[in-house]
Amino acid sequence: MWKVTSRVSKALCGRQTPVAMLRSARASSQLQCRAMSSNVVPQVEPPVLRVVGEPETGEAFSVRRVYCVAKNYAAHTIEMGGDPKTDPPCFFSKPSDAACNVSVVPYPPKTKNLHHEIEQVVAIGKGGRNIAEADALSHVWGYGVGVDLTRRDLQAEYKKDGRPWDMAKGFDCSAPMSELVPSSEVADPLKGEIGLKVNGETIQCGDLSGYTWSVPETIAFLSGYVELRPGDLIMMGTPDGVGPLVPGDEVEGWIDGIASLKFTVK
């Protein structure tokens, strides 16, 4: 397990991390469960993401849920056939273990058209319902960058038939991410270049200021639908330029002033 570095510890002084909160809740739940019955299947630990810092002293961020914002970048909304002036925020979810720190992403089965979508990742550290936009950033533990991998052919087929497209988005390793950076170390989470390269060529490039719905607006809107809790992640949406990946592709994503990631498609 990773432990918090001294500089991250200082940033978190006086408040529990999502890891500590989840551990405490899990321990309490385990005691209650033992009093009633034993598990019929092995207990599964929650997925974790690394926190920026030295590996031997870093701590992990336990992932509870992964929320994604669809069509949250005007040029991409137009690219996908929508209208950024009229489309409200649209949310979907990925499995918690889709979020991963990996250097190799397996090409998923059941698709011949895997697409990349580079996105800002927002890590929630303090939960709440109906969070006010003015207070939203105080609920953020940190930030990162991730890639929303999509079986585009399945998504198009399911949309055409009016069927849910969970399997187009929610498969193994479908959300590779960078290490997370504490919010105290991010100068401005609302602007900065975001981009993606495939085999050294820049394919996507935009700015966080281009989001139709900003981080505070998104948190306020989403918390009206569900109670956000420590360990939740929000993938904020992608600029235009989404495109295919094939086995052997080298992928690099970044957000200036926040983080970067690299992985190979196998």
Side-chain angles (χ1 to χ4, degrees):
M1 182 60 69
W2 301 68
K3 299 178 181 178
V4 179
T5 61
S6 58
R7 61 195 179 99
V8 176
S9 296
K10 292 176 182 177
L12 299 176
C13 184
R15 59 191 176 112
Q16 283 188 306
T17 68
V19 183
M21 292 179 182
L22 284 174
R23 283 175 178 164
S24 176
R26 190 161 62 243
S28 176
S29 177
Q30 287 172 347
L31 288 174
Q32 293 176 9
C33 286
R34 290 193 189 107
M36 294 183 294
S37 63
S38 60
N39 289 327
V40 296
V41 296
Q43 186 157 338
V44 178
E45 289 294 315
V48 296
L49 293 176
R50 294 192 299 268
V51 171
V52 69
E54 295 300 322
E56 62 272 15
T57 56
E59 187 173 55
F61 182 96
S62 294
V63 179
R64 192 184 82 100
R65 292 181 180 174
V66 181
Y67 298 103
C68 304
V69 191
K71 298 182 179 180
N72 194 30
Y73 206 95
H76 176 59
T77 301
I78 295 170
E79 174 180 65
M80 298 302 293
D83 183 349
K85 296 181 180 179
T86 61
D87 289 354
C90 175
F91 299 99
F92 63 92
S93 296
K94 287 178 178 276
S96 59
D97 61 359
C100 53
N101 298 132
V102 294
S103 58
V104 175
V105 171
Y107 194 92
K110 306 296 184 181
T111 184
K112 295 181 180 179
N113 193 19
L114 177 69
H115 272 211
H116 57 75
E117 299 184 9
I118 190 70
E119 309 199 6
Q120 182 182 28
V121 176
V122 178
I124 299 298
K126 182 175 71 173
R129 292 182 184 272
N130 299 310
I131 298 168
E133 184 180 326
D135 299 328
L137 291 184
S138 69
H139 290 255
V140 177
W141 184 88
Y143 301 90
V145 61
V147 180
D148 172 10
L149 294 174
T150 304
R151 290 164 163 152
R152 191 70 76 200
D153 46 358
L154 292 191
Q155 185 185 40
E157 176 187 338
Y158 295 161
K159 281 183 175 181
K160 181 180 178 181
D161 295 340
R163 297 157 58 193
W165 34 270
D166 297 53
M167 288 298 99
K169 291 283 191 177
F171 49 91
D172 298 334
C173 296
S174 61
M177 296 182 180
S178 69
E179 294 180 332
L180 297 178
V181 180
S183 57
S184 60
E185 298 187 15
V186 176
D188 190 343
L190 306 183
K191 63 181 180 181
E193 183 180 83
I194 178 171
L196 179 138
K197 292 181 180 180
V198 179
N199 300 323
E201 179 183 357
T202 299
I203 305 297
Q204 291 188 265
C205 192
D207 194 279
L208 299 181
S209 61
Y211 280 130
T212 303
W213 304 91
S214 68
V215 172
E217 290 171 329
T218 298
I219 290 173
F221 207 99
L222 179 58
S223 66
Y225 284 110
V226 295
E227 179 181 1
L228 294 178
R229 294 184 179 181
D232 289 344
L233 299 174
I234 304 173
M235 299 187 75
M236 285 293 297
T238 189
D240 57 317
V242 300
L245 293 171
V246 298
D249 279 344
E250 302 283 344
V251 180
E252 178 181 355
W254 71 90
I255 298 176
D256 281 353
I258 297 183
S260 63
L261 82 162
K262 294 181 179 179
F263 62 86
T264 302
V265 181
K266 293 290 189 181

